[in-house]
Amino acid sequence: MKGKFIVIEGIEGAGKSTAVNTVKQFLRHFKIQDVICTREPGGTVLSEEIRHLIKKNSQNKEILSDKAELLLFYAARVQSLENIIKPALSSGTWVIGDRHDLSSQAYQGGGRGIKSEFIKSLANFTLGSSFRPDLTLYLDLPPELGLKRARKRGHLDRIEQQSLVFFEQIRARYLELIYDDHRIKMIDASKPIKKVTADIQNALLSLLEK
Ligand code: Z5A
């Protein structure tokens, strides 16, 4: 039996970590016990090192170029996919991913302005053209609100220090990407946690009924 791959997407502060816990509890309730969680970038030793490289602020000693940033995200993703996600799915384990490929399309495509055709060909080369999550939950939130929530945590990493316009471009690209894609469900993440939880549970029910 194959496991299913459920991905949580959205801008910072949208509530992805909270949603991962909701999904985990929901699956447990339905007696789906073999579940692992992944995060991108991250997961394997190398991917975690890449995560550190991407997020750290080098205090302008060397600026990370947009193209290098994109390649690092894919390097981390392919390590996690080949070493964790694909083996887990083939052994029947369900995988809950905190971000996956849609993040690169939204952040590096929408935010950094890298051509979407280029990102798509990189995705096909690294992930394989047929590999896709079974369900993506996109948590939609105005960036002002997301950044306000994220800032409450204090320290901001290299990407979180970007302008509001950058995050607005990312949200706009997310909205373009999810349009008409039945494997992506949009959740209004500006609503109270209780309502967001209920909406996530409904989306998961539809997946279980398939
Ligand atoms: N990135 C990229 O550019 N390209 C890529 O391909 C990939 C990633 C994969 C990863 O950082 C960074 O890499 C990220 C995107 C970029 N950039 N930035 N900036 P990360 O993993 O450290 O950060 P994140 O993914 O953005 O997660 P986050 O900031 O921790 O946000 P979150 O997980 O969505 O939020 P949360 O921790 O669940 O919730 C935030 C707070 O809001 C918390 O106090 C909650 O209790 C609260 N919350 C949650 N839901 C609600 C509701 N409904 N109402 C009120 N308050 C709420």
Side-chain angles (χ1 to χ4, degrees):
M1 195 193 92
K2 273 189 66 129
K4 291 202 188 289
F5 186 27
I6 300 168
V7 171
I8 317 290
E9 286 280 356
I11 59 156
E12 3 296 307
K16 292 180 297 299
S17 319
T18 318
V20 165
N21 285 324
T22 304
V23 176
K24 234 189 300 182
Q25 280 168 19
F26 178 92
L27 296 180
R28 203 174 297 142
H29 179 80
F30 282 90
K31 307 275 182 278
I32 298 169
Q33 311 283 7
D34 279 344
V35 178
I36 59 164
C37 299
T38 58
R39 67 169 179 180
E40 290 195 22
T44 73
V45 174
L46 280 180
S47 304
E48 287 294 328
E49 284 183 18
I50 296 173
R51 178 184 178 88
H52 175 69
L53 274 179
I54 292 173
K55 287 177 72 107
K56 82 170 176 187
N57 197 336
S58 65
Q59 268 129 10
N60 297 337
K61 280 187 198 133
E62 182 176 346
I63 307 281
L64 181 62
S65 82
D66 293 350
K67 287 178 187 164
E69 183 189 70
L70 174 75
L71 294 171
L72 285 173
F73 277 118
Y74 275 97
R77 178 163 305 132
V78 77
Q79 284 302 111
S80 165
L81 190 71
E82 298 299 338
N83 292 299
I84 300 179
I85 301 174
K86 281 185 175 171
L89 294 173
S90 355
S91 72
T93 299
W94 287 50
V95 180
I96 309 170
D98 185 338
R99 297 192 179 281
H100 186 59
D101 195 52
L102 208 64
S103 283
S104 293
Q105 297 182 47
Y107 279 76
Q108 281 60 55
R112 302 287 191 215
I114 296 177
K115 280 203 166 87
S116 63
E117 303 82 70
F118 181 71
I119 302 180
K120 275 181 194 149
S121 65
L122 189 56
N124 285 345
F125 170 64
T126 50
L127 316 178
S129 54
S130 59
F131 183 81
R132 293 206 50 199
D134 296 282
L135 174 69
T136 298
L137 299 168
Y138 164 63
L139 306 180
D140 183 55
L141 188 71
E144 312 88 86
L145 203 53
L147 290 175
K148 210 157 127 192
R149 287 183 194 169
R151 281 190 185 120
K152 277 199 193 141
R153 284 188 303 233
H155 168 77
L156 295 180
D157 66 34
R158 188 182 59 86
I159 300 177
E160 284 165 347
Q161 289 171 10
Q162 297 285 319
S163 68
L164 186 61
V165 173
F166 175 76
F167 291 102
E168 278 164 352
Q169 286 164 342
I170 292 165
R171 184 193 189 198
R173 182 59 59 90
Y174 264 126
L175 292 171
E176 271 170 43
L177 290 163
I178 66 160
Y179 185 75
D180 230 15
D181 187 331
H182 69 281
R183 281 196 263 190
I184 306 178
K185 295 270 179 273
M186 184 164 86
I187 308 284
D188 184 349
S190 67
K191 297 276 186 255
I193 291 184
K194 238 179 157 176
K195 165 80 175 131
V196 173
T197 301
D199 290 346
I200 291 174
Q201 289 168 340
N202 282 335
L204 292 168
L205 268 181
S206 328
L207 178 70
L208 289 192
E209 280 160 10
K210 274 184 192 162

